[in-house]
Amino acid sequence: MPDPQMRAADTDRDAVAHRLGEHMTAGRLTVAEYEDRVARAYDAKTYGELAELTSDLPSSRPATRPAPQPAATGPCGSSPWGGAWSAGPWRRAVWGSWLSTAVIVTTIWLITCLSAGAFLYFWPIWVIGPWGAVLLAQTLSGGGGRSRRHHRPHNRV
C-alpha cells in the first residue's frame, strides 16, 4: 500500500467498499458494520484512513477495483430490467433482511391463526408491504448501495 499520508482517489475508495462488501457476504461483517465502514470509506481522504477500515479483516491480495459485472440476462440474452437485479452485496443484504422479516412475521401470524382456529386479519402486510415496495423501487431504479455522500461533486481539496 502507498504511503498512509498520501491522498486516496475515488477508485481506491470504491475498491475498499467492494472488499468490505465481500467480507460482509462472507459473514465477517454485519450489515450495520458494513454500512458504517462504507460510509467511512467514502469519507476517507488518505490511504491510511482506508487501511484502518480493513485492518482487522483477512487479506490475501491487495485491494483492487472489481471488474464490471455483466448484467443479468433474460431468456433472449438481454436483461428485462436493465441489470437492476444484479446481485451486489447491498441488494443481497437488504432483500435478505426483508425476506427473513417477512418469514418471521408471517409465521407469527400463521401460528396466531392456528391457535385462534380462524384466519385473522393479515397484519404482516403493514410490515413487509411498504418495505418491499421501497426496496423494489430502489432495485428497479438502480438506486441504493452507495452512500449519498459519494455522489457529491468531486472537488476535494
Side-chain angles (χ1 to χ4, degrees):
M1 180 170 252
D3 178 21
Q5 299 303 317
M6 272 183 108
R7 296 193 61 92
D10 287 338
T11 54
D12 301 315
R13 292 178 194 84
D14 288 340
V16 169
H18 176 73
R19 282 189 55 222
L20 291 170
E22 289 174 345
H23 288 294
M24 181 193 64
T25 302
R28 293 183 192 101
L29 295 173
T30 64
V31 174
E33 289 172 316
Y34 167 76
E35 289 174 349
D36 175 59
R37 290 185 191 208
V38 166
R40 289 173 38 207
Y42 285 120
D43 285 339
K45 291 181 179 37
T46 65
Y47 284 109
E49 291 175 42
L50 289 175
E52 289 176 18
L53 299 173
T54 57
S55 63
D56 62 334
L57 300 170
S59 174
S60 59
R61 59 181 166 75
T64 58
R65 185 162 189 175
Q69 298 294 321
T73 57
C76 297
S78 66
S79 171
W81 305 106
W85 290 102
S86 63
W90 176 83
R91 282 196 180 83
R92 282 192 300 270
V94 297
W95 279 106
S97 297
W98 178 85
L99 181 61
S100 14
T101 302
V103 168
I104 290 168
V105 297
T106 303
T107 302
I108 292 170
W109 172 80
L110 188 58
I111 291 170
T112 306
C113 288
L114 291 174
S115 66
F119 281 106
L120 304 173
Y121 176 73
F122 187 69
W123 57 264
I125 194 67
W126 296 108
V127 176
I128 58 179
W131 185 9
V134 168
L135 289 180
L136 183 62
Q138 287 180 338
T139 299
L140 293 178
S141 71
R146 281 200 176 155
S147 170
R148 287 189 179 145
R149 287 176 262 192
H150 180 69
H151 296 290
R152 65 181 175 224
H154 297 294
N155 55 357
R156 295 187 176 122
V157 178

